[in-house]
Amino acid sequence: MAKNKGTDTVFIIHLLPLELYPPVMNLVDYLSKNYLGKIIVLTTHKSEENSLSVYKNDSTRVLIKRMRFSNDHSLYRMIHYIYFYIKGILLSVHFRPSTVLYFESISSFPALIYKLLNGKRKKIMVHYHEYIDPAIYEEESLISKILHRIEKRMYPSFSWISHTNPVRLQMFKDDNGLNKLPESIFHVMPNYPSSSWMQKKRNHCSKQKQKKLVFVGSLGYDNMYLEEVIDWVGKHSQEFSLDIYSYNIDLKAKDFLEHCGFENVRFCGECDYYTLPEILKNYDIGIDIYKPYALNHVHGVSNKVFEYLACGLDVWFSSDKELAQDYVRKDIFPKIISVNFKDLSLFDYNSAVSREGLQYEPGNFFYEEVYSEIINEVLKR
């Protein structure tokens, strides 16, 4: 991969705190090691209630600017939006980046203004973490709706538009009438972990009678099969235990965990993203238990699937997730299997955990191969 001469600047705009979006932290880490120009990042501070460690990058070429942001009151929220956007415009005028990459419509305003002022001389790139169907967009905040309408008019001038998988990308193109634009501007950028996470040895827990299940990530009660899974694990205490790590858990889910009464189910609190490899290596199976409450999840594959796999764990995901079916692997281990969490009474867990006659083959989904495309695009003249 070619590297630049160190004269160009990439400006990354991500309104929500980086600490809540590991793929963005991974991208900044990757660019800091493989891109020789400056990398300017504009984001916001995480809330004081959130005890996750503040993301830092030690490269002298990376500058991270954080703004205050509050959701406490609509007026304060609007003021902070305005401050954030002004800061973004001022940074772009000061550093005059060759490329601006923003995430989600809500971060777009400084990039759109910069493009209007500079035309073809500057590149605009956008990545969407999630797919939002048109009906849901109508329920978004007024500012998000306005910005997305401006985006739609300006997409033809963009150099890069990406989603996390090809199904979401195609739905996005259909929704926004983009199928006539050149295919070269559309990209798939999955949420993979670093290759440094790869577990090269077999999971040492696999011979234990009681298999250790783990869930990591945001946790909700209504949008996940939480009650079904915990009830099933609680009734199979000889065979399974479940530990849950979450920095973002709704009150209903937290109350349910506190009162479930099963000794083999534990809520372990928060954990930093970079500590996950050390944590996950102590488990056998990682679970992904989203319900199909939105097309975004039906046609999505959680980043946790790839993180569990990289750390040598088997993965059980909800059978409602259609796209994830493409990743099923049962003839090697670690396995990735589809589970009907809605009705676990018929689940053949003995077959699911068996590795008899199977060969070990570590996962091979890592961000290094994906993010190289971004640098190639930035360097393209």
Side-chain angles (χ1 to χ4, degrees), residues 27-174:
L27 175 60
V28 176
D29 286 342
Y30 179 82
L31 290 176
S32 70
K33 297 172 184 175
N34 295 279
Y35 179 72
L36 300 182
K38 291 182 180 178
I39 303 151
I40 312 300
V41 182
L42 176 62
T43 186
T44 53
H45 290 283
K46 64 184 183 65
S47 67
E48 295 180 359
E49 294 78 17
N50 190 315
S51 63
L52 295 176
S53 298
V54 174
Y55 169 74
K56 297 179 181 179
N57 187 291
D58 295 331
S59 172
T60 57
R61 291 177 290 101
V62 175
L63 175 64
I64 300 177
K65 293 287 188 178
R66 288 182 169 87
M67 303 287 290
R68 287 185 58 196
F69 196 84
S70 172
N71 281 314
D72 294 340
H73 188 279
S74 58
L75 177 60
Y76 291 154
R77 185 164 60 247
M78 181 55 66
I79 291 172
H80 288 153
Y81 276 134
I82 293 171
Y83 282 168
F84 183 89
Y85 296 148
I86 291 175
K87 184 68 173 182
I89 293 170
L90 292 176
L91 286 172
S92 64
V93 169
H94 177 76
F95 289 101
R96 301 197 62 78
S98 60
T99 303
V100 180
L101 167 62
Y102 72 87
F103 290 78
E104 304 294 346
S105 300
I106 198 65
S107 303
S108 66
F109 188 71
L112 300 178
I113 294 297
Y114 190 63
K115 183 65 174 176
L116 288 171
L117 294 175
N118 291 277
K120 295 181 179 180
R121 293 179 296 166
K122 304 297 181 180
K123 293 183 179 181
I124 300 298
M125 304 168 65
V126 59
H127 177 72
Y128 295 97
H129 295 299
E130 313 288 350
Y131 166 76
I132 302 177
D133 65 57
I136 294 179
Y137 247 123
E138 290 306 310
E139 300 174 3
E140 293 284 290
S141 66
L142 177 61
I143 193 165
S144 291
K145 288 189 286 188
I146 292 173
L147 289 174
H148 185 56
R149 288 175 189 144
I150 301 173
E151 280 182 305
K152 290 176 70 172
R153 295 181 180 181
M154 295 184 63
Y155 282 143
S157 67
F158 282 27
S159 301
W160 171 294
I161 299 173
S162 60
H163 267 270
T164 58
N165 67 60
V167 176
R168 284 180 175 177
L169 179 60
Q170 187 57 54
M171 291 192 298
F172 175 83
K173 290 168 66 177
D174 294 341

Side-chain angles (χ1 to χ4, degrees), residues 246-261:
S246 180
Y247 64 84
N248 182 21
I249 177 171
D250 70 29
L251 293 177
K252 196 172 179 180
K254 190 171 185 179
D255 182 70
F256 178 75
L257 286 174
E258 290 174 348
H259 296 93
C260 72

Side-chain angles (χ1 to χ4, degrees), residues 164-194:
T164 58
N165 67 60
V167 176
R168 284 180 175 177
L169 179 60
Q170 187 57 54
M171 291 192 298
F172 175 83
K173 290 168 66 177
D174 294 341
D175 294 343
N176 293 282
L178 304 179
N179 286 303
K180 292 184 179 180
L181 294 183
E183 282 297 319
S184 59
I185 72 171
F186 296 104
H187 299 265
V188 172
M189 196 163 73
N191 294 332
Y192 295 159
S194 167

Side-chain angles (χ1 to χ4, degrees), residues 205 208-215 229-230 232-244 262-268 282-287 316:
C205 299
Q208 297 181 5
K209 181 179 179 181
Q210 187 191 59
K211 305 301 179 185
K212 297 181 179 180
L213 303 177
V214 64
F215 173 89
V229 168
I230 288 183
W232 182 82
V233 171
K235 293 175 180 177
H236 294 81
S237 58
Q238 297 299 310
E239 294 87 1
F240 297 98
S241 66
L242 171 62
D243 284 356
I244 294 172
F262 296 123
E263 294 183 359
N264 59 327
V265 176
R266 297 190 305 167
F267 176 57
C268 303
N282 298 308
Y283 295 92
D284 300 300
I285 301 158
I287 59 173
W316 295 356

